[in-house]
Amino acid sequence: MSVILGFERITRKWTPLRTFAGIAVESALDAVKQGDVDVAPYFSKLLYLLPFAPLSVEKVLTYSLIKASRGYIEKNPSLYEVHVSEVPGFEPDEVDKVKVAFEFLHGLDIAELIPPDRIKLKSEVINAIVEPVAPYLATKIDLSRVDLSRSSYPYRVVSGISSLYVMHKSDRLPTSFTIMMGLLSPTAWVRRDGKVDRKTTIERDEWEKARSNMSMLRRLRNKFDLEYFRTIGLLHENNIVVAIYPRAIEIVGTFVDKVIVPVYERYYRLRRVVKRARS
Amino acid sequence: MINKWSLKNYKHIIIETIEVTLNEIKTHITGSKSSSILPSPGEAQALASRFAGVLPRPFLKYKPYWILWAIISRCGKAYYEKNPTELYISRDVVTRWVKEFQIPQERIKEYLIPLIDYGVLEFSDKPEYLYRVRGEFFNLIGPIAQYSTFTIPPEELTSTMMVLDGIMTIYIIAKAKRVPWLLKLPMIYTISGLEPEPGKFKIRDVLEIERVNAVDSYLVNERGLGKEFVWGIKTAAFRLMTSNRIIERVIEGRGYKLYGPWVRIHEEGARRFYIRRFRERYEKEFRRL
């Protein structure tokens, strides 16, 4: 059956590519909210790549989420608050950095500032992202011994969720993330009858095609190579690439099932709505 | 919980599944144009790598296994250089095998018989050579084995070797029409999840713990296998399933998510077996009339 929406259509122009990546964030967040916590680690450490976010945000948000999930389990709202001096991983003279992160979180409507030096996570954040992961995090991470520089599994989960939520709230994406979604888009396609087919491998020529399509985009022309290598780093670091065969690359199945297929479904529906509205 | 029909016929369904897999891989790797279940060649390679690490016993002892790898290497070289004389095995080469693999001279025939039985070698059509690598085997393994004639990039090495191993395993199992328990048990677990809807061959892709236990007790109570035997094989089978990524991830509280194409070929195997059985019965009726 013939394909009516595939990776070529998505990677050829900037608007579909950006829309596709934007929907990917929403779908991943939805998957986490529905209880598929293991989707989150594929998005960890993305916050560092967001150009406008201060570098300390990742640590501060991760710590407050860990603390809040303990609070959620113990039904103790005082744990939703974080004090400037208690975030681990900062020297005593780096209070300013933490404060900058506080301001940033306040600006994105994730937390409210409690003067002089506290923040409190908003209740909608608790409902949206702390609730699904709290039972998991509270048993895996000990609050008195949080070490934010570690990259073991539970930390990657929090890191991924915080990245996803900040991208969702600010509606801005790192370029390398957009390119990553473009490179991974050949793993699914929409058939003429509206059903989405999937596979877990990307052929070498599909990969090259997606890459060359994106390198021609005017938005990316100057910085494509740099961002492409960052993307490769991301793919390997977050364990999205499972194996490399002589003529193909295998992607982890969970990512395809939980992120890329829902993205195609939503994107296809969106396109049909737009078309109908135009006609 | 478990599908009794598929468990009752598991031997036939498994053989059918292995044949489906071999056909799929043949279609994609040799690039023939018959229709297929899997969408792309990469998918076929990924599926093949799921069968790696099963073979050495009970089909081949270790020394024939080494000879087999030597033959695969030879196939790769022949494919890369487009040189079919590499595929012929002279008396010289056989004496080298005897010497280098330390096989007693009088027993070499015994070691080569399994390779002939399983369709890897055949007797040569040219009088100056003893054996020849069979065309079917060469076409299947050559395109992948050619990569081993030059340096494979490190990130591809493990997976390429797994693909080679897997293709070889499927080929030999399909020829022998006998599946070792190490592979049979994961396949039985998979087909036990066939949904009881007539006409639709759907297998649940989550392997629940209850299902595993139900299959175990079925094998012990109704098939008369030893309890210790099932337990021993079960541990090894789960090791195979995790190391070959047949189990993709753990779903907490429910069970294990199985690899998609793996489930799909089992569905196809069950479907083909059902159709064949149906046709046989129909033909029997027809003859009686």
Side-chain angles (χ1 to χ4, degrees):
Chain A
M1 191 163 287
S2 59
V3 178
I4 55 167
L5 178 62
F7 76 98
E8 278 141 339
R9 225 163 236 260
I10 281 161
T11 50
R12 213 160 34 207
K13 282 182 187 156
W14 173 254
T15 321
L17 180 64
R18 176 63 180 76
T19 317
F20 188 82
I23 300 174
V25 173
E26 307 294 318
S27 320
L29 212 52
D30 280 355
V32 174
K33 280 179 193 167
Q34 282 157 14
D36 289 306
V37 177
D38 45 357
V39 174
Y42 301 125
F43 298 89
S44 71
K45 306 286 173 201
L46 275 176
L47 261 185
Y48 286 124
L49 301 173
L50 266 178
F52 62 95
L55 290 175
S56 48
V57 167
E58 154 103 18
K59 278 181 183 171
V60 173
L61 187 55
T62 304
Y63 178 72
S64 9
L65 287 179
I66 293 171
K67 196 174 169 188
S69 41
R70 168 62 66 183
Y72 183 82
I73 292 293
E74 290 177 0
K75 302 222 176 337
N76 179 5
S78 68
L79 288 177
Y80 298 160
E81 287 179 17
V82 176
H83 191 264
V84 165
S85 59
E86 69 177 300
V87 181
F90 291 100
E91 300 293 321
D93 57 341
E94 289 179 326
V95 174
D96 287 348
K97 286 188 183 172
V98 183
K99 278 194 173 159
V100 170
F102 278 10
E103 299 266 316
F104 179 76
L105 292 178
H106 175 64
L108 281 184
D109 216 16
I110 292 176
E112 51 192 293
L113 281 176
I114 301 178
D117 46 10
R118 278 174 184 277
I119 53 165
K120 184 180 182 187
L121 288 184
K122 291 211 161 171
S123 58
E124 66 169 276
V125 179
I126 305 287
N127 291 336
I129 56 173
V130 175
E131 193 185 340
V133 293
Y136 177 77
L137 288 183
T139 52
K140 294 280 157 85
I141 302 180
D142 184 0
L143 192 57
S144 58
R145 276 185 293 164
V146 175
D147 179 4
L148 294 177
S149 58
R150 282 176 63 185
S151 58
S152 60
Y153 189 77
Y155 286 96
R156 298 227 319 276
V157 172
V158 205
S159 169
I161 288 174
S162 46
S163 308
L164 279 174
Y165 200 66
V166 169
M167 290 196 291
H168 160 72
K169 272 285 182 188
S170 65
D171 203 19
R172 291 179 71 176
L173 303 177
T175 315
S176 40
F177 176 74
T178 314
I179 294 178
M180 180 174 103
M181 291 315 298
L183 286 174
L184 297 182
S185 62
T187 48
W189 59 93
V190 185
R191 296 187 313 202
R192 191 161 287 282
D193 59 353
K195 291 211 172 98
V196 181
D197 270 351
R198 72 197 74 188
K199 57 178 186 167
T200 51
T201 49
I202 303 173
E203 301 300 307
R204 199 43 74 81
D205 45 353
E206 289 170 344
W207 178 277
E208 291 301 332
K209 179 87 185 169
R211 182 186 167 179
S212 72
N213 273 351
M214 283 188 290
S215 67
M216 301 281 218
L217 297 176
R218 203 183 308 135
R219 286 246 185 170
L220 300 173
R221 198 172 279 167
N222 299 330
K223 52 182 177 176
F224 182 79
D225 286 339
L226 172 71
E227 295 290 350
Y228 176 75
F229 285 113
R230 266 196 195 155
T231 308
I232 301 291
L234 264 183
L235 285 174
H236 281 280
E237 202 182 338
N238 288 346
N239 299 330
I240 296 174
V241 170
V242 184
I244 303 177
Y245 301 109
R247 304 290 308 154
I249 293 168
E250 191 180 346
I251 301 301
V252 64
T254 318
F255 193 86
V256 178
D257 289 346
K258 297 285 171 194
V259 182
I260 297 190
V261 171
V263 175
Y264 267 102
E265 280 163 359
R266 282 192 195 189
Y267 186 88
Y268 178 63
R269 234 178 293 141
L270 189 77
R271 235 177 48 136
R272 280 184 48 172
V273 170
V274 170
K275 254 188 195 170
R276 217 173 278 162
R278 267 190 202 150
S279 63
Chain B
M1 194 70 214
I2 53 172
N3 188 324
K4 279 280 166 71
W5 174 79
S6 64
L7 281 181
K8 215 171 124 199
N9 298 305
Y10 75 76
K11 273 186 191 155
H12 304 284
I13 295 180
I14 283 174
I15 294 294
E16 204 76 41
T17 307
I18 291 285
E19 271 167 20
V20 171
T21 317
L22 184 67
N23 277 339
E24 272 315 294
I25 290 170
K26 232 183 240 171
T27 308
H28 282 296
I29 286 184
T30 57
S32 64
K33 281 194 180 146
S34 52
S35 66
S36 65
I37 313 161
L38 303 178
S40 68
E43 207 79 341
Q45 287 181 19
L47 178 63
S49 73
R50 262 63 185 185
F51 289 86
V54 179
L55 194 61
R57 299 212 198 125
F59 297 104
L60 297 169
K61 290 184 183 132
Y62 276 106
K63 282 177 185 173
Y65 194 52
W66 292 342
I67 296 179
L68 186 58
W69 276 106
I71 292 171
I72 289 173
S73 209
R74 187 174 276 277
C75 287
K77 202 165 172 230
Y79 193 91
Y80 183 62
E81 294 172 356
K82 308 236 173 333
N83 175 12
T85 51
E86 283 285 346
L87 297 178
Y88 285 90
I89 287 151
S90 60
R91 198 172 293 277
D92 237 24
V93 176
V94 175
T95 41
R96 251 186 283 151
W97 284 347
V98 166
K99 209 172 119 204
E100 287 165 23
F101 295 132
Q102 299 177 344
I103 299 168
Q105 178 70 51
E106 64 279 7
R107 292 188 64 193
I108 180 70
K109 280 241 167 84
E110 216 177 289
Y111 279 64
L112 292 181
I113 283 170
L115 293 180
I116 294 170
D117 285 352
Y118 299 144
V120 177
L121 292 180
E122 59 187 4
F123 291 106
S124 162
D125 49 348
K126 292 183 189 168
E128 64 269 35
Y129 295 102
L130 284 179
Y131 303 105
R132 194 179 71 151
V133 178
R134 213 161 152 177
E136 195 187 352
F137 183 73
F138 168 68
N139 286 336
L140 209 56
I141 212 113
I144 306 289
Q146 63 164 327
Y147 294 104
S148 60
T149 50
F150 41 85
T151 332
I152 307 175
E155 70 273 13
E156 290 176 15
L157 185 64
T158 328
S159 41
T160 310
M161 285 303 155
M162 274 175 88
V163 173
L164 268 182
D165 197 339
I167 293 177
M168 182 184 81
T169 307
I170 294 163
Y171 181 83
I172 289 183
I173 288 176
K175 290 288 170 217
K177 289 205 184 304
R178 201 155 57 88
V179 185
W181 267 103
L182 184 56
L183 186 61
K184 203 189 271 181
L185 200 58
M187 295 180 89
I188 293 175
Y189 286 146
T190 312
I191 57 173
S192 71
L194 196 67
E195 299 280 7
E197 278 179 57
K200 272 185 189 170
F201 288 86
K202 269 268 168 252
I203 291 177
R204 289 196 298 283
D205 59 356
V206 178
L207 176 63
E208 303 92 343
I209 307 288
E210 300 96 65
R211 191 162 121 202
V212 173
N213 291 336
V215 170
D216 288 349
S217 65
Y218 172 84
L219 291 176
V220 172
N221 296 333
E222 297 187 29
R223 282 304 179 100
L225 292 175
K227 198 176 172 188
E228 297 298 317
F229 177 76
V230 172
W231 274 89
I233 297 289
K234 183 181 170 182
T235 319
F238 264 87
R239 209 207 63 182
L240 180 85
M241 282 160 90
T242 43
S243 67
N244 286 3
R245 299 197 312 277
I246 293 169
I247 290 177
E248 245 178 15
R249 66 191 171 114
V250 181
I251 302 177
E252 277 198 358
R254 271 186 74 201
Y256 308 101
K257 170 88 171 51
L258 299 174
Y259 173 61
W262 167 268
V263 175
R264 228 172 299 148
I265 52 157
H266 283 79
E267 285 168 357
E268 183 66 18
R271 197 176 68 83
R272 287 194 192 177
F273 167 71
Y274 179 79
I275 291 172
R276 195 159 56 86
R277 182 51 72 82
F278 186 80
R279 200 170 54 209
E280 277 167 11
R281 210 167 275 170
Y282 186 78
E283 277 170 4
K284 214 192 245 171
E285 291 281 317
F286 185 72
R287 232 173 275 138
R288 204 189 294 154
L289 292 172

